[in-house]
Amino acid sequence: MMIRKIALTGALLQLLLVASASAQCTIRLSGTITDTETRQVLSGASITVKETGQAVQSDASGAYLLEGLCPGNYTVRVSHIGCVPVEIAWQVIRDERRNIALPHSITRLQEVAVTGHAAKEVTTAPVETLSGRELDKTRGLTLGDALKRVNGVTTMTTGPNVSKPVINGLHSNRILILNNGIRQEGQQWGSEHAPEVDPFLASKLIVIKGAGSLRYGGDAIGGVVLAEPKPLPVTPGLGGEVNFAGFSNNRLGAVSAILEQQVPEVPGLSWRLQGTVRKGGNTRTPDYWLDNTGVEELNFSVAAGWKRPDYGVELFYSQFNTSLGVFEGSHIGNRGDLEEVIRQGKPRPEYTEGFSYEIDRPYQRVEHELFKIKSFLNTGEAGRLNLVLARQFNYRDELDRNSALSVNQMNLNLTTYNGELVWDHHDWKGLRGTVGATGMYQDNSYQRRLFVPNYESLQWGAFWTEKWESSDNKWLLEGGIRYDNKRFYNLGDNLGEKSFPEQDFSSFSGSLGAQYRILDHFHVSLNAARAWRAAAVNELYATGLHHGAAVYVDGDPYLDPEIASKFNLSLHYDIGEKLEADVNLYYNYIRNFIFQQPTDSIVVTIRGAFPYTYFRQSDVSMKGMDAQLRWHFLPKWQLSTKASILRAWNETDNDWLIAMPSDRFEHELSFFPGNTKRLKENYISLSVSNVLEQTRTPANLTDKSDPRGQDLMAPPAGYTLLNLEAGSTLQLGGQPLSVIIGAGNLLNARYRDYMNFFRYFADEPGTNVYLKLKLPLQFRKNKS
Amino acid sequence: MRKTLSVFAVMIALLFAACKKEKNEPQEENDNEEITTVKLTFTNAANATDVVVANWKNLGGDGSTPVIDEISLKANTTYTVTTELFDERKNPADTITHEIEEEADEHRIFHLFFLNANESVADSLSAVATVTPLDKDDNNLPIGLEITLATKGAFTGFFRTVVRHQPGSKDGTYGPGSTDLLAEFPLKIQ
């Protein structure tokens, strides 16, 4: 009796808890039911979702359609007259088409075959997801580096430890990062400010390229990155996972553990504890060490959820703490010194001495805290109301190289409150949609050195999106509209009695998309979006010397908002395991694109003369292509190829845009030897990544033939890296231990990357051998 | 059920308690030292009453236009030169020179001559005058806060004072470390 009760509550919980993973309970499952023996379609078969009680029947052509599901695990029961009903465990993440082959005269239940595939696109905008093995391969890396596995995503880095994602050439404030559903709000404007997100917390990383994601904010003109944790557990018992990653180059070790439980005694109550420790020392390039490039990170999170059939609440608290050493030879603070380092082609010997875990000045210390309350209420059959409230604290200390003379510290303190009220409506005449409003308040203060002023900011928006799918699954149409307002105020009270004008921006954004399934395995999508982004605080109000870059930066408080018109055309061909091909072509025209313009003028300071740079606007166009192919060309061999090409042109100046990623290609050959008794899911793969030299940089203001353009030095040469990796899963005391071992930059190639600010001073890291282990833990006693 | 709720309430309370209650502290005074002024005093070694004082002042901070005096010296004359650094935004003005004296083994002050403004160190001219440091640190390496400067012929160009910060790598040369301060004055020797 007890067990049954638990099972029942478990099933209920399953539905409710997974529902909270994503607010969108609008997933649809569809496909055709056939007879395994006769291959004929089965009409009138009934399909029941045990957890929701939803039941549908297949039509005359054997097609079935289940709608209004939330992400999660379901038990789908399929029955047909004269058959013993069968049950299929089905993990639902997004819209899916799966065909079910039902043995008409059932003798063995195991013969039920579910084929088909998940529709890759949740929207008509290009979406890519890293999860499972692909995500395991990135364990131990920072969020930015992990996302590099996604085609079209590159990174902008400041040395070995700080990396930020760049989607199709756009980064920082143009990319929205959602950490567990909340807009990550740190000092994301600085190139040396990496997102304060622990990737170990996520069970999947989703990248939405392009501007179509109105739900998350109209300002995401570059795209959206979602770091999503697993839903809280729904089956009673204690479980968890331990991850370990070790890297040879900087002797970095990372350990992350999760412990979670659905409390058996309390229906509806689940909790999770998660923690990560990461520590690395100095990084080594092929020829020398980079002193003071260590990193220390300590993160943890606590989550608890309590759900009833029609309402539920979830609490989440996380803390991200890191200390990042900044390579001593990079903290220049004087233009002459910078030019001297560039002339020498390598850092001075006193900065390249050897290995140490010690972090000394200059360094950064960052703490990020997130507290979130999420709740939902079912509004009858019609839909579901979701309320999310969150608060974030972001503390950042930047300590320059210590000297009796320097102004050597900047402390930034940003507090953010977010609120979001969203109503998801279930299927209504083929339409599924979401309507909602969001609000955000921010308060920033600094101490010591001034770079961005004290300010307060208030932002609110309202949106409405709808999606329609034809009943034959051929067409998917979607569209949405959003209105945003953003205001900066209280900018007084700054050092030197500097005062800045207030600003108030507002506008509409919208998107429209269509997808047509030409064949079952081949579809084409077209998406058009207009997005809008108000200038960020540094673009408006920055003032002062940027120590790392050795330039003087001036904001412009009268910048107009950026308006992006983006068009995506994507083709997707997918015949399951055998072959998958994707091509995404995009054209993005951005009016009033904001960027930092180098100039010939200099600002004279007590540290010498510095080039003056300022934020300005131009109309720019960005067109490009991301393409990938995965081909299982022989039973045990797979080839995958990715290409990413971008052309970014400044229409106003009739010249190239500065700081844009160059073309890159990646090829990977994998061999799957097959399972042995003890080793399963084995693979070995060799990959070649090829990054071309960036030849498209803006011309020198005075000398057009100068290869350096407006930069201090010409873009570095292209490079090719070789990487080798092997993985396996072995049984360890009844638990499957997954092992990945590999080496990056196998040949210890010496190279520099155009998107790394350190290209002026130092080479990129040399060979890096790594080992990654993952051990899922199950302590369930009640196997009901 | 009541127990459930109380457990839940305790959890919420714990979570809130775990959050920082720290509010933004009120804006502190800038307690970092910022150099606003470099003062050079040239005293004619042969005539103690012949003193030339030149200031490089930037009270408005980075980005504002500094006030820079022109240095006018006599040809074929030996001067004793002292370099002083101040933070004149503080009242009374803070003398930062002491900190260099305290960290003498990490600092070295250079006085260089250039034909044009903002030239590379490699282009500094040695034929304009002879500079001899008078002070030494614990490692017997020159500091440069006090020097003698023996001018040669007539010259019009620039005089640069550079404070190099060379922790652990000071070897008497310009190369190691980084620049803490660089003030350039127009110079006329006649």
Side-chain angles (χ1 to χ4, degrees):
Chain A
M1 187 62 202
M2 190 58 201
I3 287 170
R4 187 188 241 177
K5 201 173 161 192
I6 289 170
L8 189 68
T9 4
L12 260 176
L13 283 172
Q14 192 155 336
L15 167 65
L16 297 169
L17 285 172
V18 293
S20 70
S22 154
Q24 240 114 335
C25 289
T26 60
I27 293 173
R28 63 160 68 183
L29 303 178
S30 60
T32 310
I33 300 177
T34 52
D35 187 315
T36 39
E37 278 146 40
T38 64
R39 308 257 162 144
Q40 281 177 336
V41 296
L42 297 175
S43 63
S46 66
I47 301 98
T48 316
V49 182
K50 280 183 90 175
E51 288 80 3
T52 63
Q54 236 177 319
V56 293
Q57 288 212 323
S58 58
D59 64 13
S61 60
Y64 72 95
L65 179 63
L66 283 164
E67 294 186 285
L69 292 169
C70 313
N73 296 308
Y74 295 97
T75 313
V76 178
R77 187 182 159 97
V78 188
S79 61
H80 194 252
I81 308 157
C83 297
V84 179
V86 294
E87 284 183 3
I88 307 161
W90 204 329
Q91 195 195 7
V92 176
I93 299 167
R94 56 202 159 204
D95 286 10
E96 279 183 85
R97 268 173 73 73
R98 283 199 195 175
N99 299 328
I100 302 170
L102 198 65
H104 203 197
S105 48
I106 286 180
T107 46
R108 284 162 294 171
L109 297 186
Q110 294 89 329
E111 284 185 6
V112 178
V114 182
T115 62
H117 54 275
K120 213 173 177 186
E121 284 75 19
V122 192
T123 76
T124 55
V127 175
E128 282 193 51
T129 305
L130 285 186
S131 61
R133 202 59 176 262
E134 282 297 297
L135 188 64
D136 291 345
K137 290 179 179 182
T138 72
R139 290 309 192 191
L141 302 177
T142 60
L143 181 72
D145 284 332
L147 289 169
K148 258 165 114 169
R149 287 196 83 86
V150 174
N151 197 21
V153 179
T154 52
T155 51
M156 179 169 76
T157 53
T158 307
N161 291 328
V162 175
S163 73
K164 335 174 41 113
V166 180
I167 302 178
N168 294 150
L170 299 173
H171 54 79
S172 305
N173 283 296
R174 296 185 184 96
I175 292 182
L176 205 53
I177 295 172
L178 280 115
N179 182 14
N180 194 0
I182 303 297
R183 280 175 75 109
Q184 176 70 22
E185 286 292 334
Q187 305 282 357
Q188 63 255 56
W189 44 266
S191 62
E192 70 283 33
H193 302 176
E196 302 88 351
V197 176
D198 179 5
F200 277 111
L201 187 59
S203 72
K204 56 184 173 187
L205 296 173
I206 303 169
V207 177
I208 306 174
K209 297 182 204 167
S213 33
L214 295 171
R215 187 184 195 287
Y216 307 113
D219 52 350
I221 72 174
V224 178
V225 173
L226 296 116
E228 292 206 346
K230 269 194 306 196
L232 284 167
V234 291
T235 35
L238 199 60
E241 187 181 295
V242 179
N243 271 286
F244 167 81
F247 295 81
S248 70
N249 183 296
N250 54 350
R251 302 179 202 171
L252 184 139
V255 182
S256 184
I258 292 176
L259 195 64
E260 58 187 20
Q261 188 191 30
Q262 194 282 303
V263 184
E265 299 79 26
V266 188
L269 184 66
S270 301
W271 57 264
R272 172 184 297 150
L273 290 173
Q274 180 263 347
T276 303
V277 182
R278 242 174 125 241
K279 188 172 171 71
N282 292 347
T283 295
R284 189 174 162 80
T285 73
D287 299 322
Y288 44 84
W289 291 95
L290 299 175
D291 285 0
N292 199 42
T293 49
V295 58
E296 272 171 34
E297 202 177 294
L298 176 66
N299 314 319
F300 68 88
S301 70
V302 190
W306 185 58
K307 305 287 153 87
R308 302 310 299 160
D310 282 322
Y311 55 89
V313 63
E314 194 182 301
L315 301 174
F316 177 83
Y317 173 79
S318 69
Q319 218 183 75
F320 178 98
N321 299 285
T322 188
S323 292
L324 293 162
V326 176
F327 175 52
E328 275 180 88
S330 79
H331 244 230
I332 303 288
N334 176 280
R335 179 58 161 211
D337 292 5
L338 181 57
E339 281 165 1
E340 190 53 39
V341 171
I342 291 172
R343 230 189 331 267
Q344 283 172 356
K346 62 175 191 187
R348 288 199 58 85
E350 71 253 34
Y351 303 134
T352 58
E353 280 166 348
F355 180 83
S356 165
Y357 277 111
E358 200 105 337
I359 297 175
D360 212 335
R361 292 176 79 122
Y363 74 102
Q364 303 178 359
R365 193 168 47 216
V366 187
E367 181 186 330
H368 192 92
E369 255 183 71
L370 167 64
F371 179 60
K372 177 180 101 162
I373 306 176
K374 180 163 146 179
S375 55
F376 76 87
L377 179 67
N378 274 345
T379 52
E381 287 288 291
R384 163 181 294 225
L385 197 61
N386 304 281
L387 175 70
V388 180
L389 298 170
R391 183 200 60 194
Q392 294 172 73
F393 288 134
N394 188 284
Y395 305 101
R396 166 172 280 274
D397 293 345
E398 301 215 343
L399 296 99
D400 298 345
R401 194 204 295 270
N402 202 8
S403 162
L405 303 176
S406 51
V407 179
N408 49 21
Q409 196 166 345
M410 171 159 72
N411 313 93
L412 295 160
N413 185 349
L414 179 69
T415 304
T416 307
Y417 291 90
N418 294 86
E420 181 186 273
L421 183 66
V422 167
W423 185 66
D424 290 324
H425 76 78
H426 297 163
D427 191 80
W428 183 76
K429 296 189 177 169
L431 280 174
R432 293 172 282 163
T434 305
V435 54
T438 59
M440 183 165 92
Y441 164 80
Q442 279 185 327
D443 180 12
N444 185 63
S445 65
Y446 71 91
Q447 281 167 30
R448 308 214 161 88
R449 200 172 78 216
L450 168 66
F451 190 74
V452 293
N454 294 316
Y455 68 89
E456 281 178 80
S457 145
L458 200 59
Q459 189 175 345
W460 65 270
F463 69 95
W464 183 20
T465 61
E466 289 290 340
K467 176 148 83 172
W468 178 84
E469 210 170 345
S470 66
S471 53
D472 62 358
N473 263 312
K474 285 268 184 214
W475 283 96
L476 170 70
L477 301 176
E478 63 178 357
I481 189 161
R482 185 178 170 110
Y483 180 80
D484 280 288
N485 175 272
K486 183 167 192 173
R487 195 157 94 75
F488 290 99
Y489 59 100
N490 268 348
L491 292 137
D493 188 28
N494 291 294
L495 281 182
E497 269 136 45
K498 278 190 176 138
S499 192
F500 303 87
E502 300 189 346
Q503 274 303 353
D504 193 333
F505 307 101
S506 51
S507 183
F508 281 98
S509 335
S511 82
L512 207 56
Q515 186 180 93
Y516 180 64
R517 196 175 286 278
I518 300 165
L519 298 164
D520 199 35
H521 303 297
F522 180 44
H523 64 245
V524 53
S525 306
L526 184 66
N527 184 283
R530 179 198 191 265
W532 169 90
R533 181 182 76 92
V537 65
N538 62 317
E539 294 160 340
L540 294 167
Y541 304 118
T543 174
L545 190 60
H546 193 297
H547 280 235
V551 290
Y552 189 87
V553 186
D554 225 353
D556 175 1
Y558 301 103
L559 290 171
D560 292 322
E562 289 181 344
I563 297 163
S565 306
K566 184 158 184 179
F567 302 90
N568 271 299
L569 174 68
S570 35
L571 300 164
H572 181 76
Y573 185 80
D574 184 357
I575 47 170
E577 287 294 293
K578 182 94 180 130
L579 180 71
E580 192 183 348
D582 250 319
V583 181
N584 174 36
L585 299 165
Y586 59 90
Y587 176 77
N588 198 356
Y589 191 90
I590 307 176
R591 254 168 56 207
N592 307 328
F593 182 80
I594 300 167
F595 64 102
Q596 202 173 334
Q597 175 69 53
T599 69
D600 287 349
S601 338
I602 52 170
V603 173
V604 176
T605 79
I606 199 91
R607 280 153 210 260
F610 292 89
Y612 177 77
T613 70
Y614 66 104
F615 282 104
R616 61 167 285 217
Q617 307 193 283
S618 276
D619 295 347
V620 304
S621 67
M622 298 185 161
K623 48 197 163 189
M625 180 190 75
D626 296 335
Q628 53 190 335
L629 173 76
R630 188 177 52 75
W631 183 27
H632 226 84
F633 64 99
L634 281 170
K636 290 180 172 180
W637 293 86
Q638 178 179 286
L639 182 72
S640 58
T641 288
K642 294 176 186 173
S644 174
I645 289 166
L646 167 68
R647 298 286 174 270
W649 185 253
N650 185 332
E651 302 280 347
T652 310
D653 294 356
N654 226 3
D655 202 348
W656 297 105
L657 263 180
I658 203 163
M660 289 289 149
S662 57
D663 299 343
R664 55 201 62 211
F665 306 92
E666 202 179 311
H667 313 286
E668 188 177 77
L669 181 67
S670 306
F671 175 65
F672 304 94
N675 293 344
T676 68
K677 205 169 179 187
R678 313 190 64 196
L679 304 175
K680 300 209 159 52
E681 298 174 306
N682 307 313
Y683 73 91
I684 178 160
S685 59
L686 181 72
S687 73
V688 181
S689 49
N690 176 228
V691 175
L692 302 188
E693 181 180 334
Q694 181 56 283
T695 52
R696 297 168 187 88
T697 54
N700 189 325
L701 300 171
T702 47
D703 177 9
K704 304 269 185 221
S705 62
D706 187 343
R708 293 175 300 169
Q710 292 177 22
D711 210 339
L712 288 166
M713 62 186 251
Y719 58 89
T720 301
L721 298 180
L722 215 57
N723 310 296
L724 188 65
E725 189 173 277
S728 180
T729 304
L730 53 121
Q731 289 294 322
L732 194 83
Q735 314 273 16
L737 174 72
S738 124
V739 182
I740 294 174
I741 185 160
N745 193 2
L746 197 63
L747 302 179
N748 208 19
R750 186 187 303 116
Y751 69 104
R752 294 189 181 190
D753 189 275
Y754 179 60
M755 296 296 281
N756 187 347
F757 183 71
F758 272 24
R759 68 183 181 279
Y760 299 126
F761 333 105
D763 294 333
E764 295 280 336
T767 304
N768 198 4
V769 178
Y770 53 85
L771 172 72
K772 293 169 189 185
L773 304 173
K774 183 174 92 170
L775 183 67
L777 304 170
Q778 291 297 336
F779 313 108
R780 301 200 200 289
K781 285 174 197 138
N782 272 333
K783 285 192 175 155
S784 54
Chain B
M1 195 61 206
R2 186 172 294 166
K3 197 176 157 197
T4 315
L5 285 175
S6 56
V7 167
F8 194 58
V10 167
M11 279 193 75
I12 293 178
L14 275 174
L15 285 173
F16 270 109
C19 302
K20 276 248 164 65
K21 294 202 180 69
E22 197 175 305
K23 267 300 285 176
N24 292 352
E25 294 150 35
Q27 182 73 38
E28 255 174 55
E29 265 304 299
N30 189 332
D31 60 1
N32 281 276
E33 262 137 2
E34 196 156 5
I35 306 156
T36 61
T37 307
V38 179
K39 182 182 173 189
L40 301 179
T41 310
F42 297 78
T43 310
N44 190 332
N47 174 6
T49 59
D50 178 11
V51 176
V52 174
V53 175
N55 282 299
W56 195 111
K57 279 191 198 204
N58 193 6
L59 301 182
D62 296 349
S64 65
T65 312
V67 180
I68 307 167
D69 294 342
E70 195 193 62
I71 301 170
S72 185
L73 302 177
K74 293 190 181 79
N76 301 312
T77 308
T78 300
Y79 292 91
T80 312
V81 186
T82 57
T83 304
E84 290 170 283
L85 313 172
F86 302 101
D87 183 353
E88 289 193 303
R89 275 187 245 180
K90 297 208 171 113
N91 195 9
D94 206 352
T95 309
I96 300 170
T97 325
H98 303 318
E99 269 127 48
I100 295 192
E101 286 160 354
E102 277 164 31
E103 291 181 10
D105 57 341
E106 293 190 358
H107 290 98
R108 168 83 157 94
I109 296 96
F110 288 87
H111 298 88
L112 306 165
F113 304 90
F114 296 91
L115 202 54
N116 300 300
N118 303 316
E119 272 186 326
S120 163
V121 189
D123 298 327
S124 73
L125 307 170
S126 54
V128 177
T130 306
V131 171
T132 315
L134 297 174
D135 44 7
K136 293 269 165 73
D137 67 13
D138 296 343
N139 302 321
N140 213 29
L141 290 168
I143 306 167
L145 282 170
E146 284 194 0
I147 56 164
T148 58
L149 190 156
T151 60
K152 295 176 183 170
F155 173 75
T156 305
F158 292 85
F159 183 72
R160 186 185 296 176
T161 301
V162 185
V163 179
R164 296 286 290 169
H165 182 213
Q166 306 172 319
S169 54
K170 181 173 170 181
D171 61 3
T173 65
Y174 189 92
S178 60
T179 300
D180 271 347
L181 179 147
L182 187 158
E184 199 163 68
F185 302 79
L187 171 70
K188 199 168 270 180
I189 298 174
Q190 55 204 168

